Amino acid sequence: MLAVTAITPTQSKTSQLKTILIVEDDPMMQLGLKHILNQQPHLTVVAQAVNGNEAVSVALQHQPDIVLMDIDLPGIDGIAAAQQIKAALPNTRILMLTHHSNPTQVMAALSSGAHGYCVKGTNAEQLLLAIATVQEGGSYLDSKIADCVLQNLKTLPDNCANDDIKLTEREMQVLQQLVEGRSNKQIAAQLGMSVHTAKGHVEMILAKFEASDRTHAAVKALRLGLV
């Protein structure tokens, strides 16, 4: 349960009223977030959405300063929704709020255009700090996962190039799913193939990327701009 902690305008570098869109399909979580945010004199919740498609539509309608976005959403997920919102509203800041602490999911979220990543279960004070950081133009990465993500980035050589990795069209489709943190079973269902075939494609991708695991391959793909 999030504890309510108020931050006054003098505690934030930006005292101008900022509008927020909450994208969350859990009614209790949505209610708690709205209660906390509307207690802040410099923040106001202008709209809420419960799935990815609605998030895009509502964001275009209200053009909020900040979108607080869950990843696991009905319809299109939060990563795809963030990509669409950023394409249409480049000045809108997006903060991901999710249970996921997997570095692959984190990198996929950040590559979608999100400016921050906050793990659910954090206290209200940290959430408000994350919001303040992204609204002021910075990036926020929850301390629970920052070390893990940085470690994955450090394992990659700086001189690797796109031309060194040749993927088939099908492997590119599987790579996109892998970067979004999906399992072999989920990849198979999404792309209409057997789990055995999906596993084979993933193993081939790992071999071509000379990656030790799925996260390593995903982060390398993101750094190379392949997805």
Side-chain angles (χ1 to χ4, degrees):
M1 184 69 179
L2 291 172
V4 178
T5 304
I7 292 182
T8 63
T10 57
Q11 290 175 286
S12 171
K13 294 179 182 178
T14 307
S15 59
Q16 181 182 359
L17 188 68
K18 295 294 182 180
T19 56
I20 296 183
L21 163 63
I22 297 174
V23 185
E24 170 61 61
D25 63 334
D26 182 333
M28 292 302 295
M29 186 70 180
Q30 189 180 95
L31 183 64
L33 289 170
K34 184 178 180 181
H35 176 68
I36 291 169
L37 297 176
N38 278 341
Q39 283 197 328
Q40 311 309 311
H42 59 293
L43 300 175
T44 182
V45 176
V46 293
Q48 299 173 84
V50 297
N51 61 61
N53 294 305
E54 185 182 12
V56 175
S57 175
V58 173
L60 292 177
Q61 178 184 354
H62 291 275
Q63 299 187 20
D65 296 306
I66 303 160
V67 176
L68 194 57
M69 176 87 74
D70 191 10
I71 285 184
D72 288 325
L73 296 169
I76 63 172
D77 63 20
I79 293 173
Q83 290 173 332
Q84 293 185 33
I85 291 171
K86 285 302 297 181
L89 304 170
N91 293 327
T92 293
R93 310 289 291 177
I94 298 177
L95 175 63
M96 294 293 191
L97 180 63
T98 178
H99 287 297
H100 289 292
S101 58
N102 183 303
T104 304
Q105 279 277 18
V106 178
M107 295 304 296
L110 296 178
S111 71
S112 71
H115 303 92
Y117 196 102
C118 197
V119 176
K120 286 182 178 178
T122 189
N123 59 43
E125 187 175 1
Q126 285 300 117
L127 173 61
L128 293 169
L129 173 63
I131 291 173
T133 300
V134 299
Q135 82 175 44
E136 291 162 5
S139 298
Y140 182 90
L141 190 60
D142 196 295
S143 60
K144 296 183 182 68
I145 52 175
D147 289 344
C148 186
V149 172
L150 290 173
Q151 204 56 41
N152 275 279
L153 288 173
K154 289 176 182 177
T155 62
L156 302 179
D158 291 329
N159 58 354
C160 55
N162 293 9
D163 294 341
D164 298 332
I165 301 174
K166 304 293 185 183
L167 300 180
T168 66
E169 181 178 352
R170 199 57 161 167
E171 286 170 350
M172 284 296 297
Q173 294 171 349
V174 172
L175 177 62
Q176 180 67 53
Q177 300 293 314
L178 187 152
V179 166
E180 292 177 3
R182 293 188 172 92
S183 66
N184 290 344
K185 185 177 180 180
Q186 291 171 322
I187 292 172
Q190 189 75 16
L191 299 180
M193 61 177 66
S194 70
V195 176
H196 178 75
T197 300
K199 181 180 178 182
H201 282 307
V202 170
E203 290 176 348
M204 181 59 71
I205 290 169
L206 295 184
K208 289 184 176 182
F209 274 78
E210 298 181 353
S212 57
D213 55 35
R214 300 163 75 97
T215 298
H216 190 181
V219 175
K220 189 170 185 178
L222 290 167
R223 282 192 60 181
L224 292 175
L226 293 175
V227 292

Coordinates of all heavy atoms in Angstrom, one line a residue, residues 168-224:
T168 N 17.0 -13.2 -40.3 CA 16.0 -13.4 -41.3 C 14.8 -12.5 -40.8 O 14.7 -12.0 -39.7 CB 15.5 -14.9 -41.4 OG1 14.9 -15.2 -40.1 CG2 16.7 -15.8 -41.6
E169 N 13.8 -12.4 -41.7 CA 12.6 -11.6 -41.4 C 11.9 -12.2 -40.2 O 11.4 -11.5 -39.3 CB 11.6 -11.6 -42.6 CG 10.4 -10.8 -42.4 CD 9.5 -10.7 -43.6 OE1 9.9 -11.2 -44.7 OE2 8.3 -10.2 -43.5
R170 N 11.8 -13.6 -40.1 CA 11.2 -14.2 -39.0 C 11.9 -14.0 -37.7 O 11.3 -13.8 -36.7 CB 11.0 -15.7 -39.3 CG 10.0 -16.5 -38.5 CD 8.6 -15.8 -38.6 NE 7.5 -16.7 -38.2 CZ 6.3 -16.3 -38.0 NH1 6.0 -15.1 -38.2 NH2 5.4 -17.2 -37.7
E171 N 13.2 -14.1 -37.8 CA 14.1 -13.9 -36.6 C 13.9 -12.4 -36.1 O 13.9 -12.2 -34.9 CB 15.5 -14.1 -36.9 CG 15.8 -15.6 -37.1 CD 17.2 -15.9 -37.6 OE1 17.9 -15.0 -38.1 OE2 17.7 -17.1 -37.6
M172 N 13.7 -11.5 -37.0 CA 13.5 -10.1 -36.6 C 12.1 -10.0 -35.8 O 12.0 -9.3 -34.9 CB 13.5 -9.2 -37.8 CG 14.8 -8.9 -38.4 SD 15.9 -7.9 -37.2 CE 14.9 -6.4 -37.0
Q173 N 11.1 -10.7 -36.3 CA 9.8 -10.7 -35.6 C 10.0 -11.3 -34.2 O 9.4 -10.8 -33.2 CB 8.8 -11.5 -36.4 CG 8.5 -10.9 -37.8 CD 7.6 -11.8 -38.6 OE1 7.4 -13.0 -38.4 NE2 7.1 -11.2 -39.7
V174 N 10.7 -12.4 -34.1 CA 10.9 -13.1 -32.8 C 11.8 -12.2 -31.9 O 11.5 -12.0 -30.7 CB 11.6 -14.4 -33.0 CG1 12.1 -15.0 -31.7 CG2 10.7 -15.4 -33.8
L175 N 12.8 -11.5 -32.5 CA 13.6 -10.6 -31.7 C 12.8 -9.5 -31.1 O 13.0 -9.1 -29.9 CB 14.7 -9.9 -32.6 CG 15.6 -8.9 -32.0 CD1 16.4 -9.5 -30.8 CD2 16.6 -8.3 -33.0
Q176 N 11.8 -8.9 -31.9 CA 10.9 -7.9 -31.3 C 10.2 -8.4 -30.1 O 10.0 -7.7 -29.1 CB 10.0 -7.4 -32.4 CG 9.0 -6.3 -32.0 CD 9.7 -5.0 -31.7 OE1 10.4 -4.5 -32.5 NE2 9.5 -4.5 -30.5
Q177 N 9.7 -9.6 -30.2 CA 8.9 -10.2 -29.1 C 9.8 -10.4 -27.9 O 9.5 -10.2 -26.8 CB 8.3 -11.5 -29.6 CG 7.3 -11.4 -30.7 CD 6.1 -10.7 -30.3 OE1 5.5 -10.9 -29.3 NE2 5.6 -9.7 -31.1
L178 N 11.1 -10.9 -28.2 CA 12.0 -11.1 -27.2 C 12.4 -9.9 -26.4 O 12.5 -9.8 -25.2 CB 13.3 -11.8 -27.8 CG 14.4 -12.3 -26.9 CD1 15.1 -13.4 -27.6 CD2 15.4 -11.2 -26.5
V179 N 12.6 -8.8 -27.1 CA 12.9 -7.5 -26.5 C 11.8 -7.0 -25.7 O 12.0 -6.3 -24.6 CB 13.2 -6.4 -27.6 CG1 13.2 -5.0 -27.1 CG2 14.6 -6.8 -28.3
E180 N 10.5 -7.3 -26.0 CA 9.4 -6.9 -25.2 C 9.2 -7.9 -24.0 O 8.2 -7.7 -23.3 CB 8.1 -6.9 -26.1 CG 8.2 -5.7 -27.1 CD 7.0 -5.7 -28.0 OE1 6.1 -6.5 -27.9 OE2 7.0 -4.8 -28.9
G181 N 10.1 -8.8 -23.8 CA 10.1 -9.6 -22.6 C 9.2 -10.8 -22.6 O 8.9 -11.4 -21.6
R182 N 8.8 -11.3 -23.8 CA 7.9 -12.4 -23.9 C 8.6 -13.7 -23.8 O 9.7 -13.9 -24.3 CB 7.0 -12.3 -25.1 CG 6.1 -11.1 -25.1 CD 5.1 -11.1 -26.3 NE 4.1 -10.0 -26.1 CZ 4.2 -8.8 -26.6 NH1 5.3 -8.5 -27.3 NH2 3.3 -7.9 -26.3
S183 N 7.9 -14.7 -23.3 CA 8.5 -16.1 -23.1 C 8.3 -16.8 -24.5 O 7.6 -16.3 -25.4 CB 7.7 -16.8 -22.1 OG 6.3 -17.1 -22.5
N184 N 9.0 -18.0 -24.6 CA 8.8 -18.7 -25.8 C 7.4 -19.1 -26.1 O 6.9 -19.0 -27.3 CB 9.7 -20.0 -25.7 CG 11.2 -19.7 -25.8 OD1 11.6 -18.7 -26.1 ND2 11.9 -20.7 -25.3
K185 N 6.6 -19.4 -25.1 CA 5.2 -19.8 -25.3 C 4.4 -18.6 -25.8 O 3.6 -18.7 -26.7 CB 4.6 -20.2 -23.9 CG 3.2 -20.7 -24.0 CD 2.7 -21.3 -22.7 CE 1.3 -21.8 -22.8 NZ 0.8 -22.3 -21.4
Q186 N 4.7 -17.4 -25.2 CA 4.0 -16.2 -25.7 C 4.4 -15.8 -27.1 O 3.6 -15.3 -27.9 CB 4.3 -15.0 -24.7 CG 3.7 -15.2 -23.3 CD 4.2 -14.2 -22.3 OE1 5.4 -13.8 -22.3 NE2 3.3 -13.7 -21.4
I187 N 5.7 -15.9 -27.4 CA 6.1 -15.7 -28.8 C 5.4 -16.6 -29.8 O 5.0 -16.1 -30.8 CB 7.7 -15.8 -28.9 CG1 8.4 -14.7 -28.1 CG2 8.1 -15.8 -30.3 CD1 9.9 -14.9 -27.9
A188 N 5.4 -17.9 -29.4 CA 4.7 -18.8 -30.3 C 3.2 -18.4 -30.5 O 2.8 -18.5 -31.7 CB 4.8 -20.2 -29.7
A189 N 2.5 -18.1 -29.5 CA 1.1 -17.7 -29.6 C 1.0 -16.4 -30.5 O 0.1 -16.3 -31.3 CB 0.5 -17.5 -28.3
Q190 N 1.9 -15.5 -30.2 CA 1.8 -14.2 -30.9 C 2.1 -14.3 -32.4 O 1.5 -13.6 -33.3 CB 2.8 -13.2 -30.3 CG 2.7 -11.8 -30.8 CD 1.5 -11.0 -30.2 OE1 0.9 -11.5 -29.2 NE2 1.1 -9.9 -30.8
L191 N 3.0 -15.2 -32.8 CA 3.5 -15.3 -34.2 C 2.9 -16.5 -34.9 O 3.3 -16.8 -36.0 CB 5.0 -15.3 -34.2 CG 5.7 -14.0 -33.7 CD1 7.2 -14.2 -33.8 CD2 5.2 -12.8 -34.4
G192 N 2.1 -17.3 -34.2 CA 1.5 -18.4 -34.9 C 2.4 -19.5 -35.2 O 2.4 -20.1 -36.3
M193 N 3.2 -19.9 -34.2 CA 4.2 -21.0 -34.5 C 4.2 -21.9 -33.2 O 3.6 -21.6 -32.2 CB 5.6 -20.5 -34.7 CG 6.2 -19.7 -33.6 SD 7.9 -19.0 -33.8 CE 7.7 -17.9 -35.2
S194 N 4.9 -23.1 -33.3 CA 5.0 -24.0 -32.2 C 6.0 -23.4 -31.2 O 6.8 -22.6 -31.5 CB 5.4 -25.4 -32.6 OG 6.7 -25.4 -33.1
V195 N 5.9 -23.8 -29.9 CA 6.8 -23.4 -28.9 C 8.2 -23.9 -29.3 O 9.2 -23.2 -29.1 CB 6.4 -24.0 -27.5 CG1 7.5 -23.6 -26.5 CG2 5.1 -23.4 -27.1
H196 N 8.3 -25.1 -29.9 CA 9.6 -25.7 -30.3 C 10.2 -24.8 -31.3 O 11.5 -24.5 -31.3 CB 9.4 -27.1 -30.8 CG 10.6 -27.7 -31.3 ND1 11.6 -28.2 -30.5 CD2 11.1 -27.9 -32.6 CE1 12.6 -28.7 -31.2 NE2 12.3 -28.5 -32.5
T197 N 9.4 -24.3 -32.3 CA 10.0 -23.4 -33.3 C 10.4 -22.1 -32.8 O 11.5 -21.6 -33.1 CB 8.9 -23.2 -34.4 OG1 8.6 -24.4 -35.0 CG2 9.5 -22.3 -35.5
A198 N 9.6 -21.6 -31.9 CA 10.0 -20.3 -31.2 C 11.3 -20.4 -30.4 O 12.2 -19.6 -30.5 CB 8.9 -19.9 -30.3
K199 N 11.4 -21.5 -29.7 CA 12.6 -21.8 -29.0 C 13.8 -21.9 -29.9 O 14.9 -21.3 -29.6 CB 12.5 -23.1 -28.2 CG 13.7 -23.4 -27.3 CD 13.6 -24.7 -26.6 CE 14.8 -25.1 -25.8 NZ 14.7 -26.4 -25.1
G200 N 13.7 -22.5 -31.1 CA 14.8 -22.6 -32.0 C 15.2 -21.3 -32.6 O 16.4 -21.0 -32.7
H201 N 14.2 -20.4 -32.9 CA 14.5 -19.0 -33.3 C 15.3 -18.2 -32.3 O 16.2 -17.5 -32.6 CB 13.2 -18.3 -33.7 CG 12.7 -18.7 -35.0 ND1 13.4 -18.7 -36.2 CD2 11.4 -19.1 -35.4 CE1 12.6 -19.1 -37.2 NE2 11.4 -19.3 -36.7
V202 N 14.8 -18.3 -31.0 CA 15.5 -17.6 -29.9 C 16.9 -18.1 -29.8 O 17.8 -17.3 -29.6 CB 14.7 -17.8 -28.6 CG1 15.5 -17.3 -27.4 CG2 13.4 -17.1 -28.7
E203 N 17.1 -19.4 -29.8 CA 18.5 -19.9 -29.7 C 19.4 -19.5 -30.8 O 20.6 -19.2 -30.6 CB 18.4 -21.5 -29.7 CG 17.8 -22.0 -28.4 CD 17.7 -23.5 -28.4 OE1 17.8 -24.1 -29.4 OE2 17.4 -24.1 -27.3
M204 N 18.8 -19.4 -32.0 CA 19.6 -18.9 -33.2 C 20.0 -17.4 -33.0 O 21.1 -17.0 -33.3 CB 18.8 -19.1 -34.5 CG 19.5 -18.7 -35.7 SD 21.1 -19.5 -36.0 CE 20.5 -21.2 -36.4
I205 N 19.0 -16.6 -32.5 CA 19.3 -15.2 -32.3 C 20.4 -15.0 -31.2 O 21.3 -14.2 -31.4 CB 18.0 -14.5 -31.8 CG1 17.0 -14.4 -33.0 CG2 18.3 -13.1 -31.3 CD1 15.6 -14.0 -32.6
L206 N 20.3 -15.8 -30.1 CA 21.3 -15.7 -29.1 C 22.7 -16.1 -29.7 O 23.7 -15.4 -29.4 CB 21.0 -16.7 -28.0 CG 19.8 -16.4 -27.1 CD1 19.6 -17.4 -26.0 CD2 19.8 -15.0 -26.6
A207 N 22.7 -17.1 -30.6 CA 24.0 -17.5 -31.2 C 24.5 -16.4 -32.1 O 25.7 -16.0 -32.1 CB 23.8 -18.8 -32.0
K208 N 23.7 -15.7 -32.9 CA 24.1 -14.7 -33.8 C 24.5 -13.4 -33.1 O 25.4 -12.7 -33.5 CB 23.0 -14.3 -34.8 CG 22.7 -15.4 -35.8 CD 21.6 -15.0 -36.8 CE 21.4 -16.0 -37.9 NZ 20.4 -15.6 -39.0
F209 N 23.9 -13.2 -31.9 CA 24.3 -12.0 -31.1 C 25.5 -12.3 -30.2 O 26.0 -11.4 -29.5 CB 23.1 -11.6 -30.3 CG 22.2 -10.6 -31.0 CD1 21.2 -11.1 -31.9 CD2 22.2 -9.3 -30.7 CE1 20.4 -10.3 -32.5 CE2 21.3 -8.4 -31.4 CZ 20.4 -8.9 -32.3
E210 N 25.9 -13.6 -30.2 CA 26.9 -14.1 -29.2 C 26.5 -13.6 -27.8 O 27.3 -13.1 -27.0 CB 28.3 -13.5 -29.6 CG 28.8 -14.0 -31.0 CD 30.1 -13.5 -31.3 OE1 30.7 -12.6 -30.6 OE2 30.7 -13.9 -32.4
A211 N 25.3 -13.8 -27.5 CA 24.7 -13.4 -26.2 C 24.6 -14.5 -25.2 O 24.3 -15.6 -25.6 CB 23.3 -12.8 -26.4
S212 N 24.9 -14.2 -24.0 CA 24.8 -15.3 -22.9 C 23.4 -15.6 -22.5 O 23.2 -16.7 -22.0 CB 25.6 -14.8 -21.7 OG 25.1 -13.6 -21.2
D213 N 22.5 -14.7 -22.7 CA 21.1 -14.9 -22.4 C 20.2 -14.0 -23.1 O 20.6 -13.2 -23.9 CB 20.9 -14.8 -20.8 CG 21.3 -13.5 -20.3 OD1 21.2 -12.4 -21.0 OD2 21.8 -13.4 -19.2
R214 N 18.9 -14.1 -22.9 CA 17.9 -13.3 -23.6 C 18.0 -11.8 -23.3 O 17.9 -11.0 -24.2 CB 16.5 -13.8 -23.2 CG 16.2 -15.3 -23.5 CD 15.0 -15.8 -22.8 NE 13.8 -15.3 -23.3 CZ 13.0 -15.9 -24.2 NH1 13.4 -17.1 -24.6 NH2 11.9 -15.4 -24.7
T215 N 18.3 -11.5 -22.1 CA 18.4 -10.1 -21.7 C 19.6 -9.5 -22.4 O 19.5 -8.3 -22.9 CB 18.6 -9.9 -20.2 OG1 17.5 -10.4 -19.5 CG2 18.9 -8.5 -19.8
H216 N 20.7 -10.2 -22.5 CA 21.9 -9.7 -23.2 C 21.6 -9.4 -24.6 O 22.0 -8.4 -25.2 CB 23.0 -10.7 -23.0 CG 24.4 -10.3 -23.5 ND1 25.5 -11.1 -23.5 CD2 24.8 -9.1 -24.0 CE1 26.5 -10.4 -23.9 NE2 26.1 -9.2 -24.2
A217 N 20.9 -10.4 -25.3 CA 20.5 -10.2 -26.7 C 19.6 -9.0 -26.9 O 19.7 -8.2 -27.8 CB 19.9 -11.5 -27.2
A218 N 18.6 -8.9 -26.0 CA 17.7 -7.8 -26.1 C 18.3 -6.4 -25.9 O 18.1 -5.5 -26.7 CB 16.6 -7.9 -25.0
V219 N 19.2 -6.3 -24.9 CA 19.9 -5.0 -24.7 C 20.8 -4.7 -25.9 O 20.9 -3.5 -26.3 CB 20.7 -5.0 -23.4 CG1 21.5 -3.8 -23.2 CG2 19.8 -5.2 -22.2
K220 N 21.5 -5.7 -26.4 CA 22.3 -5.5 -27.6 C 21.5 -5.0 -28.8 O 21.9 -4.1 -29.5 CB 23.1 -6.7 -27.9 CG 24.2 -6.6 -29.0 CD 25.1 -7.8 -29.0 CE 26.2 -7.6 -30.0 NZ 27.1 -8.8 -30.1
A221 N 20.4 -5.6 -29.0 CA 19.5 -5.2 -30.1 C 19.0 -3.8 -30.0 O 19.0 -3.0 -31.0 CB 18.3 -6.2 -30.2
L222 N 18.7 -3.4 -28.7 CA 18.3 -2.0 -28.5 C 19.4 -1.0 -28.8 O 19.2 0.0 -29.3 CB 17.8 -1.9 -27.1 CG 16.4 -2.6 -26.8 CD1 16.2 -2.7 -25.3 CD2 15.3 -1.9 -27.5
R223 N 20.6 -1.4 -28.3 CA 21.8 -0.5 -28.5 C 22.1 -0.3 -30.0 O 22.6 0.7 -30.4 CB 23.0 -1.0 -27.8 CG 22.9 -0.7 -26.3 CD 24.3 -0.9 -25.6 NE 25.3 -0.1 -26.1 CZ 26.6 -0.2 -25.7 NH1 26.9 -1.0 -24.8 NH2 27.5 0.6 -26.2
L224 N 21.9 -1.4 -30.7 CA 22.2 -1.4 -32.2 C 21.1 -0.7 -33.0 O 21.3 -0.5 -34.2 CB 22.5 -2.8 -32.7 CG 23.8 -3.5 -32.2 CD1 23.8 -4.9 -32.7 CD2 25.0 -2.7 -32.6

